Amino acid sequence: MKRFTIIPFLLTVLMLMMPLGGCRISYTLNGAAIDYTVYKTIHVANFPIRAALVYPPLQQTFENELLDYISRNTRLQTVDGASDLQLEGEITQYYLTPQAVTEDAYASRTRLTIGVRVKYLDNKAEGKDVDQTFTAYRDFDSSQMLNEVEEELCQEISKELVQLIFNATLGNW
């Protein structure tokens, strides 16, 4: 019975020790480090493909994933034109490399690598801009043709790239 009377007492003491209205703790589970009193808008530009090898649906897949991730994990309003934050860039790498070579000198695994150069501009604070290339890859069995797995691989790689970009920019890691 003493436990039940001690717990409310401790809670009351803790509440009295906290300053009234001056302290606010906020947690975000998505890793966003955004002060929404300062930042309200973001402009996400197109990410054209500038790689030597081109998979045309990749641009739309990547851009949709990026916009969806920002809208799900922040309260920023996406706008065209002037904004508090800007994300722009280009898809600069899209290539295949053999990975596991068998005894008959054929590759048993192939790696698809995608690289995206990102420019992140903070129009409200100096020194927070980012200009960086992010890369991600997926391996697939060489017995499969690229066109059989390309769409799925591009979706998986795009998701990983978006998380890397978010963490380095809006997540402020």
Side-chain angles (χ1 to χ4, degrees):
M1 191 67 172
K2 287 185 178 182
R3 280 187 180 168
F4 295 114
T5 57
I6 292 175
I7 292 173
F9 173 74
L10 289 175
L11 289 173
T12 305
V13 170
L14 286 173
M15 289 176 58
L16 291 174
M17 291 175 54
M18 295 173 70
L20 296 176
C23 180
R24 187 177 85 177
I25 299 171
S26 71
Y27 296 99
T28 58
L29 300 176
N30 59 22
I34 301 167
D35 182 354
Y36 292 108
T37 61
V38 177
Y39 301 101
K40 306 224 184 289
T41 60
I42 186 168
H43 171 71
V44 180
N46 291 335
F47 281 75
I49 300 174
R50 303 272 191 250
L53 186 62
V54 175
Y55 175 61
L58 175 60
Q59 179 179 352
Q60 194 67 46
T61 299
F62 175 78
E63 290 172 358
N64 288 343
E65 184 63 36
L66 182 59
L67 287 167
D68 289 348
Y69 197 87
I70 290 169
S71 68
R72 281 192 321 264
N73 292 290
T74 72
R75 293 184 303 205
L76 295 172
Q77 181 73 34
T78 54
V79 296
D80 289 330
S83 61
D84 302 329
L85 302 167
Q86 290 177 249
L87 265 175
E88 58 187 53
E90 56 195 6
I91 299 167
T92 57
Q93 300 170 25
Y94 187 91
Y95 61 89
L96 298 167
T97 51
Q99 291 304 303
V101 179
T102 62
E103 67 266 358
D104 56 359
Y106 289 103
S108 62
R109 304 279 302 159
T110 303
R111 175 170 291 171
L112 173 62
T113 303
I114 299 174
V116 179
R117 180 173 182 219
V118 174
K119 290 183 184 178
Y120 169 78
L121 304 170
D122 185 329
N123 295 320
K124 296 284 186 170
E126 300 223 3
K128 292 188 176 183
D129 296 349
V130 174
D131 187 348
Q132 185 176 343
T133 298
F134 300 88
T135 59
Y137 63 86
R138 289 292 182 277
D139 293 343
F140 64 97
D141 194 271
S142 293
S143 65
Q144 297 176 296
M145 297 297 294
L146 176 61
N147 61 2
E148 295 172 3
V149 294
E150 196 166 24
E151 182 179 345
E152 180 183 347
L153 295 175
C154 286
Q155 288 175 349
E156 291 175 11
I157 294 170
S158 291
K159 286 181 181 189
E160 182 178 340
L161 286 168
V162 165
Q163 288 180 332
L164 292 170
I165 292 164
F166 185 88
N167 289 343
T169 56
L170 299 169
N172 198 20
W173 287 53

